[in-house]
Amino acid sequence: MPAATDELFLRRAIRLAMNGRGMVEPNPMVACVLVRDGQVIGEGYHARFGGPHAEPSALADCRERGNSPAGATAYVTLEPCCHTNKKTPPCAPRLIEAGVARVVIGCLDPNPAVNGNGVAMLRAAGIEVTNGVCEGEAKQLIEPFLRSVEHDSYLTLKWAQSADGKVAGPGGKRTQISGPESSRLVHQLRARSDAIVIGIGTALIDDPMLTPRDVPLRRKPLRIVLDPQLRLPLTSKLVSTAKDWPTAVIHDECRTNSRHAEELRERGVAVHCSEHFGRRGQLEAFAALQLIREELGVRDLFMEPGPTLAGSFLAVANRVWVFRSLTSMNDSTAPAAATIPAQLVPSGTIRVGDDELTEYRRPMIDAATDRPYAVSASADLVLASSTPS
Ligand SMILES: NC(=O)c1ccc[n+]([C@@H]2O[C@H](COP(=O)([O-])OP(=O)(O)OC[C@H]3O[C@@H](n4cnc5c(N)ncnc54)[C@H](OP(=O)(O)O)[C@@H]3O)[C@@H](O)[C@H]2O)c1
Ligand SMILES: [Zn+2]
């Protein structure tokens, strides 16, 4: 099969896999497209956590359409699983039983129980396997999952800015910069994340709820405030709703036994400390991610930073979403957005209502060549661009 044909069907599988976004986590999004004589004869994707994997879905679709998978090529975005200690039976044996002739894979599954074993099982059964087709795109599709297997975090930053680069009104006053269609995307991303993170500056000025609203919600994301001096008011919306919505504050070590810490705990806020939060910079941002990962057990983070927090966390961000409105603030006292470093590369721009959304991603590195893959748009951006706003 010519390489261009393999890429075409693998890309079709990548796009199909995106339909599982928000429903399959912490599993990866995966899809499988079955092709014979250049025709798609069945396809399927992993649609929900605990539900069937992509390969059995594609095989079922193939049979429902009256086709036989025998002799077909299966295009799968991720190496078929072969381990049994999980919710669903393994997929590599299903492809073998179905008699497929060839399997084309986007990337290996780094999960130690798979990691090449799925490929080995297929080859041992006489199936031709090609791995690494559209590898960069296949990996970027599931970057949060890949990072989590490596015991690492995945951090998305998002903010809205006016046409002249301001993130708030005169003197930092709260101002709605982006339109309702952009807000809806933000609520979606909140709902798809393990945690929503803000700095105390924003908590004090905006007094946000930080809950995902008017979007499907599978679980309540944790709300985290980075608050070195433990200034979060007991009267804030975050604290007064903490018994209903999980809420955590991370602060500087010496305040653990303070009366304020005690009062926050009484209201249901989890109070964590790190000696690093009083200082600002990249190292502190690393330390914050580590604490959030290890003590709070959350990895896929959605941060809505003011310019101060952005200044520290851009150095460790994997992805940034910037909503740009068409209108200018025209006020020199309004705070300006942080500057996006050159290491974060634009991976797509779409129109959202009257706003423009640009996504930036930190390129993933191809371990075989030590070179960065070309960045591709995340599932969230692709889905946002194909949903009428
Ligand atoms: N347009 C948007 O999308 C958007 C989004 C969010 C906020 N805003 C606006 O931004 C303004 C607030 O921004 P801001 O810059 O003042 O506050 P911020 O970024 O929300 O919070 C900054 C504070 O976080 C704490 N912090 C903890 N760890 C930190 C670290 N590693 N690096 C830096 N700071 C750390 C510090 O508190 P301590 O000072 O106590 O040490 C710091 O002052 C408001 O006007 C708000 O409306 C706009
Ligand atoms: Zn599987």
Side-chain angles (χ1 to χ4, degrees):
M1 191 69 76
T5 309
D6 280 350
E7 287 178 9
L8 185 85
F9 289 120
L10 211 290
R11 287 210 173 96
R12 177 178 173 127
I14 288 175
R15 177 62 188 85
L16 182 64
M18 291 177 180
N19 295 338
R21 176 65 175 131
M23 299 306 292
V24 301
E25 294 79 7
N27 284 348
M29 292 170 264
V30 187
C32 172
V33 174
L34 293 163
V35 175
R36 203 176 40 222
D37 303 327
Q39 300 294 318
V40 174
I41 56 168
E43 58 189 351
Y45 64 97
H46 183 38
R48 61 178 174 83
F49 183 72
H53 281 191
E55 298 89 333
S57 303
L59 290 169
D61 179 55
C62 176
R63 290 177 180 124
E64 271 167 32
R65 295 193 205 182
N67 297 321
S68 162
T73 297
Y75 291 88
V76 277
T77 55
L78 182 69
E79 178 184 13
C81 63
C82 53
H83 54 311
T84 48
N85 57 339
K86 58 182 176 57
K87 286 181 184 289
T88 47
C91 298
R94 305 286 297 272
L95 292 172
I96 295 168
E97 279 159 32
V100 303
R102 184 169 176 246
V103 177
V104 179
I105 298 171
C107 64
L108 293 183
D109 183 345
N111 181 341
V114 189
N115 206 2
N117 294 330
V119 170
M121 187 184 271
L122 294 167
R123 286 200 174 128
I127 294 175
E128 181 192 341
V129 180
T130 306
N131 177 46
V133 172
C134 301
E135 188 177 58
E137 289 159 62
K139 284 188 172 174
Q140 286 171 75
L141 169 72
I142 54 168
E143 191 179 359
F145 167 79
L146 296 177
R147 294 188 69 82
S148 138
V149 173
E150 304 285 327
H151 305 287
D152 221 335
S153 318
Y154 183 79
L155 176 66
T156 300
L157 263 54
K158 149 290 157 181
W159 67 78
Q161 64 184 59
S162 60
D164 54 349
K166 307 291 189 172
V167 296
K173 204 166 136 295
R174 179 180 193 161
T175 313
Q176 188 61 37
I177 293 172
S178 50
E181 297 85 355
S182 299
S183 297
R184 188 174 158 74
L185 285 185
V186 170
H187 283 275
Q188 246 173 20
L189 274 199
R190 285 180 177 175
R192 292 171 183 172
S193 306
D194 294 340
I196 305 157
V197 189
I198 58 165
I200 184 62
T202 301
L204 291 175
I205 294 175
D206 293 358
D207 191 21
M209 268 289 278
L210 289 191
T211 49
R213 292 187 291 280
D214 303 324
V215 288
L217 187 66
R218 273 177 62 216
R219 61 210 161 126
K220 288 181 174 175
L222 176 65
R223 307 178 298 179
I224 302 175
V225 186
L226 301 182
D227 180 9
Q229 304 170 64
L230 210 56
R231 293 187 281 157
L232 184 65
L234 299 177
T235 52
S236 62
K237 288 189 188 136
L238 286 166
V239 176
S240 46
T241 55
K243 291 225 160 95
D244 296 323
W245 283 90
T247 310
V249 172
I250 303 179
H251 71 103
D252 192 288
E253 197 160 43
C254 54
R255 292 172 178 86
T256 306
N257 297 320
S258 67
R259 178 80 197 114
H260 192 57
E262 194 48 45
E263 286 174 324
L264 287 170
R265 281 191 209 99
E266 279 165 11
R267 286 162 176 78
V269 177
V271 182
H272 295 262
C273 64
S274 162
E275 57 184 311
H276 296 296
F277 282 108
R279 290 160 270 156
R280 295 172 184 190
Q282 186 178 345
L283 281 178
E284 289 68 38
F286 267 121
L289 291 187
Q290 191 178 3
L291 183 140
I292 289 172
R293 202 166 54 233
E294 290 171 8
E295 279 196 28
L296 282 64
V298 289
R299 296 199 173 141
D300 191 353
L301 307 175
F302 184 56
M303 181 178 279
E304 305 188 26
T308 310
L309 212 57
S312 295
F313 282 82
L314 275 167
V316 292
N318 303 99
R319 176 173 69 156
V320 180
W321 271 23
V322 179
F323 293 91
R324 291 185 173 88
S325 83
L326 292 173
T327 39
S328 289
M329 203 66 71
N330 293 321
D331 187 294
S332 61
T333 65
T339 306
I340 299 192
Q343 292 86 339
L344 289 159
V345 179
S347 49
T349 295
I350 63 169
R351 183 149 287 285
V352 185
D354 290 336
D355 305 326
E356 193 178 74
L357 164 61
T358 300
E359 177 178 83
Y360 301 80
R361 292 184 89 170
R362 185 175 304 279
M364 295 180 79
I365 304 295
D366 179 351
T369 62
D370 212 22
R371 291 161 64 134
Y373 293 110
V375 293
S376 52
S378 71
D380 296 306
L381 193 75
V382 171
L383 292 168
S385 66
S386 47
T387 315
S389 53

